[in-house]
Amino acid sequence: MNAFDVVLLAAVLVLAVVVIGAVLVGIRTLRRMGAAPAPEDPAFIAEKDRQEQSLAALRTAADEANSTIDVAKSAAAAARTEAAAAKAEAKAARAEARRVLDDARAEADTVLERAHKQAEADAEQLRTAARRSGEREVAVLAATTREQAAEVERRAARMDERERMHTEEVERFAERERQLTAAKAALAAREAALAQREAELTESEELRRRELERVAGLTAESARLELVDAIETQAKREAALLVRDIESDARNTAEQRARHIVVDAIQRVASEQTAESVVSVLHLPGDEMKGRIIGREGRNIRAFESVTGVNLIIDDTPEAVLLSCFDPVRREVGRVTLEKLVLDGRIHPHRIEEVYDLARQEVEQLCLRAAEDALVEVGITEIHPELVTLLGRLRYRTSYGQNVLKHLVETAHIAGIMAAELRLDVPIIKRSAFLHDIGKALTHEVEGSHAIIGADLARKYGEHEDVVHAIEAHHNEVPPQTIEAVLTQASDACSGGRPGARRESLEAYVKRLERIEEIAASKLGVDKVFAMQAGREIRVMVKPDDVDDIGAAVLARDVAKQIEEELTYPGQIRVTVVRESRVTEIAR
């Protein structure tokens, strides 16, 4: 009996107990009805009806219990049937397993027998292969032995041939030695004949000299002195003529040669230039980003300016902000910082400091890489690391619109070409030209001329004295004393002075306008001065009581003449003197 049969039996017992209980309750109820009061009592009638209903419910429950018992019996019968079927299937499975096991044993015997046969066949094949391999090896050894024997015979034949040739060579050497002995004997006889002839010639030369002295009335020493004087005079004259011709040719070709060298150097070097600017423009994805950059009550923009040292200009320009700073490296760091902040979207004081550190390191790496690329392009390998760092800072420095680092590379190339044309020391001259503006990296930090600053830096970091002198003399703060200094000046002028390399800066333009106004205002009788049309016209307002019409004409001519003498400017400047007389009267 399995677990299912036990459960089913327990359910049947419980239902039987419930049915018996219901029957007992019905019997008790019938007994009470038999001993009840008269049927006319309403309470009795109601109680009777209720008990009849209860009895009907009990009968219904009993019927349901009987039906449930029948269902349980049917389920038990079905379960017993299924158990019998399961037993039959298990018996069939055991029979199938015995059959499969017998088949497997038979198959294993078959496979084992086949494996024994295969092993015997493989062993026979291996024995055959081994026998064949042994035969092949014996054949190879025999062939090798025959080849070695043949090689020994060939070597013996070569040795015999070499010995024969050696014998012939010895015979030839002996014959040559006999010939040399005979030649030496003939040469000794010839030398003796020549010595005798030389003695005869000497004697005859002495006789001829004596005869000449007797005929000319001069000794040999006196004649020699006269001949030397004549030759010296002629040589001096010819040398003077040659020197004059050389000097004339040098004067005629020196200027042409120098112009050719300079033009050739400029033509062989070309580099792009950038415009000088003190502001950088950063484009924004939208105008709403301006508010995030400013921050609540301007805290972000104040933090940005205090951390970077760059002024941030936010105006009505759509989707753009301006960064202003006189230091180009610091301005570039600020631009990269703001660009990273805009891309990140998180803009607050702490984030600004973090991004600034990253941007500063990135710009330093860019400067260092630019300096290394410039050194590779010029061909300079050994240089102090501090000078490399300073050269990298020139990547963002411009002079009159010309990038200083590219100007150094171009100057070095021009100087190298001119040095090669003149057959001078190319590496030292290129080094001098490349480092001549190194002081511009510190002009914002150190007082003084960039030439003197650069010379001090070069001397501090162990550069050659010729390089130091070329740096300090390229703007004539120190008179140039070496060819390196002169070529550095020339190449610097070629790089900065060629058309399109530089342009007038805003500062120089403003200074020129201020100087024009100062020249006009310094004259007597001048009331006001206005520089107009970008400095191409100047209007001078004079006091009519102090300057008459003739004085106005003289004033205009004097101002124009002084401007021509003191200033350098493109085009022409018109000077207009305005003398206006006003008379005012009040009617009372």
Side-chain angles (χ1 to χ4, degrees):
M1 179 179 287
N2 54 16
F4 179 74
D5 295 337
V6 173
V7 172
L8 187 60
L9 181 59
V12 171
L13 292 177
V14 171
L15 289 175
V17 171
V18 171
V19 171
I20 292 170
V23 171
L24 293 176
V25 171
I27 293 171
R28 186 180 298 175
T29 302
L30 291 174
R31 288 178 179 176
R32 287 180 181 177
M33 288 175 61
E40 289 82 5
D41 188 0
F44 174 76
I45 293 172
E47 180 66 21
K48 183 179 179 180
D49 293 336
R50 186 178 62 80
Q51 290 178 357
E52 288 178 354
Q53 292 175 358
S54 298
L55 184 59
L58 290 174
R59 289 174 180 169
T60 304
D63 294 337
E64 291 178 356
N66 291 328
S67 63
T68 301
I69 291 171
D70 295 336
V71 171
K73 290 179 179 179
S74 301
R80 283 192 295 271
T81 304
E82 291 177 357
K87 290 179 180 179
E89 289 179 357
K91 186 182 295 183
R94 283 194 294 271
E96 181 67 20
R98 291 192 192 96
R99 186 183 62 79
V100 170
L101 183 59
D102 294 338
D103 294 342
R105 288 174 179 173
E107 184 69 21
D109 294 338
T110 305
V111 171
L112 185 59
E113 185 178 358
R114 191 182 300 117
H116 283 304
K117 293 180 180 180
Q118 184 66 30
E120 292 177 357
D122 292 341
E124 183 63 26
Q125 291 178 358
L126 288 175
R127 285 192 295 272
T128 305
R131 189 182 305 109
R132 292 177 181 175
S133 177
E135 293 175 354
R136 283 196 299 269
E137 289 181 358
V138 170
V140 169
L141 288 174
T144 304
T145 304
R146 287 193 297 272
E147 290 178 359
Q148 290 178 354
E151 181 67 21
V152 169
E153 292 178 358
R154 286 194 296 272
R155 288 183 180 180
R158 284 198 298 269
M159 291 293 292
D160 295 339
E161 181 67 19
R162 189 173 298 174
E163 186 176 357
R164 185 183 61 78
M165 293 175 64
H166 180 67
T167 303
E168 293 178 355
E169 189 71 19
V170 169
E171 293 177 356
R172 283 198 300 271
F173 282 154
E175 181 65 24
R176 186 174 297 177
E177 187 175 358
R178 286 193 298 271
Q179 293 176 359
L180 287 175
T181 303
K184 285 181 181 180
L187 185 61
R190 191 171 183 180
E191 285 179 355
L194 288 175
Q196 182 179 0
R197 188 173 181 181
E198 185 177 0
E200 294 175 355
L201 287 174
T202 303
E203 184 179 356
S204 110
E205 181 68 21
E206 182 65 22
L207 292 174
R208 188 177 65 82
R209 185 180 63 79
R210 290 176 182 176
E211 184 65 22
L212 287 175
E213 288 178 357
R214 186 183 65 79
V215 172
L218 292 174
T219 63
E221 185 65 24
S222 299
R224 188 178 62 80
L225 291 176
E226 287 184 4
L227 182 61
V228 168
D229 291 338
I231 293 175
E232 184 178 359
T233 303
Q234 184 178 0
K236 287 182 178 179
R237 182 174 179 277
E238 292 179 356
L241 293 175
L242 182 60
V243 168
R244 186 187 66 182
D245 293 340
I246 291 174
E247 290 179 351
S248 176
D249 184 66
R251 282 193 298 270
N252 292 332
T253 60
E255 184 177 355
Q256 182 180 359
R257 175 66 173 167
R259 187 181 296 110
H260 172 73
I261 291 175
V262 172
V263 170
D264 183 62
I266 293 176
Q267 287 178 348
R268 289 168 61 183
V269 176
S271 62
E272 59 185 26
Q273 305 299 332
T274 58
E276 180 180 15
S277 177
V278 295
V279 296
S280 297
V281 180
L282 180 66
H283 296 282
L284 303 177
D287 287 336
E288 66 275 2
M289 185 61 69
K290 294 182 179 179
R292 301 178 63 181
I293 294 174
I294 296 173
R296 181 179 299 174
E297 299 178 356
R299 65 172 187 173
N300 290 343
I301 190 171
R302 285 196 302 271
F304 180 84
E305 291 180 350
S306 64
V307 170
T308 61
V310 178
N311 293 326
L312 192 59
I313 303 172
I314 301 178
D315 52 13
D316 295 335
T317 305
E319 298 182 356
V321 295
L322 301 178
L323 294 93
S324 175
C325 182
F326 69 93
D327 189 342
V329 178
R330 201 161 65 199
R331 186 172 68 248
E332 179 65 15
V333 174
R335 188 193 67 80
V336 174
T337 301
L338 187 58
E339 183 179 6
K340 289 181 177 293
L341 289 171
V342 170
L343 291 176
D344 185 38
R346 296 175 295 169
I347 305 177
H348 52 81
H350 181 66
R351 181 62 179 169
I352 290 172
E353 294 178 358
E354 294 178 353
V355 176
Y356 171 74
D357 292 335
L358 296 176
R360 181 168 51 80
Q361 295 175 5
E362 181 178 344
V363 171
E364 288 177 356
Q365 291 296 324
L366 290 175
C367 292
L368 185 61
R369 191 178 302 115
E372 292 174 351
D373 292 342
L375 289 170
V376 171
E377 183 176 355
V378 175
I380 297 176
T381 55
E382 296 181 359
I383 191 170
H384 197 278
E386 289 296 330
L387 291 180
V388 177
T389 303
L390 294 175
L391 286 170
R393 297 179 64 179
L394 297 177
R395 179 177 188 265
Y396 299 104
R397 174 70 189 270
T398 57
S399 177
Y400 294 95
Q402 187 179 27
N403 184 276
V404 176
L405 185 58
K406 293 182 179 179
H407 165 64
L408 294 181
V409 174
E410 182 178 356
T411 304
H413 286 318
I414 294 174
I417 294 171
M418 290 193 291
E421 291 287 340
L422 297 174
R423 293 180 176 84
L424 300 175
D425 189 357
V426 175
I428 193 70
I429 293 176
K430 289 183 71 173
R431 196 180 190 94
S432 302
F434 184 70
L435 296 176
H436 78 277
D437 274 346
I438 187 67
K440 288 186 178 180
L442 296 178
T443 51
H444 295 304
E445 303 173 7
V446 180
E447 294 292 335
S449 170
H450 73 274
I452 302 301
I453 297 172
D456 293 339
L457 287 172
R459 188 178 292 110
K460 176 181 178 182
Y461 294 118
E463 290 294 328
H464 195 272
E465 191 61 33
D466 291 339
V467 177
V468 174
H469 175 68
I471 293 173
E472 65 184 0
H474 79 277
H475 280 319
N476 290 320
E477 278 87 355
V478 176
Q481 302 293 333
T482 62
I483 188 65
E484 290 83 3
V486 175
L487 284 182
T488 300
Q489 280 187 338
S491 58
D492 183 26
C494 291
S495 176
R498 63 181 180 81
R502 294 184 176 182
R503 62 176 177 83
E504 186 179 25
S505 65
L506 177 62
E507 182 180 1
Y509 167 72
V510 173
K511 287 183 178 179
R512 179 162 60 84
L513 295 185
E514 291 177 351
R515 182 54 186 160
I516 291 174
E517 292 184 351
E518 289 176 0
I519 291 173
S522 63
K523 304 298 180 181
L524 295 176
V526 176
D527 184 18
K528 298 178 181 179
V529 180
F530 301 103
M532 306 177 67
Q533 297 184 6
R536 298 184 181 275
E537 180 180 356
I538 177 172
R539 293 190 181 181
V540 183
M541 315 297 292
V542 299
K543 300 176 182 178
D545 297 335
D546 297 337
V547 180
D548 56 8
D549 292 340
I550 298 176
V554 174
L555 178 63
R557 186 174 62 252
D558 292 343
V559 172
K561 185 176 181 180
Q562 187 173 356
I563 290 175
E564 290 177 357
E565 293 175 351
E566 295 186 8
L567 299 179
T568 301
Y569 49 88
Q572 60 184 8
I573 298 177
R574 177 183 298 175
V575 180
T576 303
V577 178
V578 180
R579 179 177 178 272
E580 182 180 8
S581 297
R582 293 187 182 184
V583 178
T584 304
E585 186 63 36
I586 299 175
R588 296 180 177 86

